Amino acid sequence: MADITPTLLRRRLGAALKTLRVRAGLNLAEGAKLLGVSSPTLSKVENGRQRTDPERFIAAYGVANAARIAEIREIARLANSSRHQRLYVQYKDVISDRFADFLEMEQIATRIDLYAALLIPGVLQTVDYASAAIGSISVLRTTRETRASTELRMKRQEVLTSPSLALRCVLDEACLRRELGGLSVLRRQLEHLLTISQRPNIELQVIPFKAGMHTGLDGAYTVFHFDVGSPVVAVEPLTTSHYLEEDDQVARYEVAFDRLRTQALDPEASRDFIARIAKETQ
């Protein structure tokens, strides 16, 4: 079987299966022999580079802990979820390996906490705003790549219709005032924010300039929460994303996000604030 991209969930599944082997007192060669595979094959599975059926491991390693079995089965179910895989296959030409992680997490998260410092987040963008943003930032993209990236961004937004997802977003005022594609594009984008913020699973808040210093001045980030496993933080510089999974690192961002929500206008006041800026663009 060909190697696959070791996305976050595949790595987590592989790590969980490796833990089962170690707890069973087996080295790599012994585990491979028990499973009837080669050591290199087992190594690929444990590193998230090859798909597998976890039931074989549960049976071979004699796992009896019901909670542990349930957790591994759920990780495997999410890792094999068809939606993010379909998007990856359809848009693989414009999805880097690092962004494949982001896409996967966005599709299977049960809560997303998002802070944006400069631009409206992709998952909340209109098609015209997205096209302008992608065209401005990705100066080396071809027209075809820009079109495909914009289309992918629109398809990603389908997650917002899921009742199982809660999105909490804090926007710096700079996001609301930066023109991309002209005033009419910005106005429609702000109007879209007003509409989408009415959804019961979306909480949108704004930090105005007059709030002064706040805990988001280091830049944008996203905290993904899941039914299974620990949260993951995606920190987003210009060209890629960095992922933080250590508990102490994630905890710092969770505390910072809670402070941002406290410093920001409440959702109703935020809508009024956005509406006033939208009127200024007329």
Side-chain angles (χ1 to χ4, degrees), residues 11 19 35 37 81 87 114 142 146 149 152-153 210 216 239:
R11 292 196 302 271
T19 298
L35 290 161
V37 299
S81 174
L87 288 177
L114 196 164
T142 65
T146 298
S149 295
L152 170 61
R153 191 164 292 185
K210 67 179 183 181
T239 58

Side-chain angles (χ1 to χ4, degrees), residues 95-166:
I95 297 175
S96 65
D97 287 350
R98 297 295 288 171
F99 186 64
D101 275 341
F102 192 97
L103 180 63
E104 178 180 59
M105 290 186 287
E106 188 176 70
Q107 296 296 309
I108 58 91
T110 53
R111 193 178 88 215
I112 299 175
D113 291 340
L114 196 164
Y115 167 66
L118 298 173
L119 298 176
I120 304 298
V123 76
L124 299 177
Q125 292 176 0
T126 64
V127 63
D128 290 336
Y129 186 98
S131 181
I134 292 169
S136 297
I137 297 173
S138 306
V139 293
L140 299 181
R141 286 186 186 274
T142 65
T143 301
R144 183 186 63 80
E145 289 173 333
T146 298
R147 187 182 304 114
S149 295
T150 302
E151 186 177 303
L152 170 61
R153 191 164 292 185
M154 294 302 103
K155 287 185 178 293
R156 285 168 49 201
Q157 297 180 10
E158 293 176 9
V159 300
L160 299 180
T161 64
S162 171
S164 63
L165 172 68

Side-chain angles (χ1 to χ4, degrees), residues 15-28 46 61:
L17 296 176
K18 180 178 180 179
T19 298
L20 294 184
R21 172 176 62 76
V22 172
R23 288 180 176 175
L26 303 169
N27 61 32
L28 185 68
E46 293 184 349
Y61 297 156

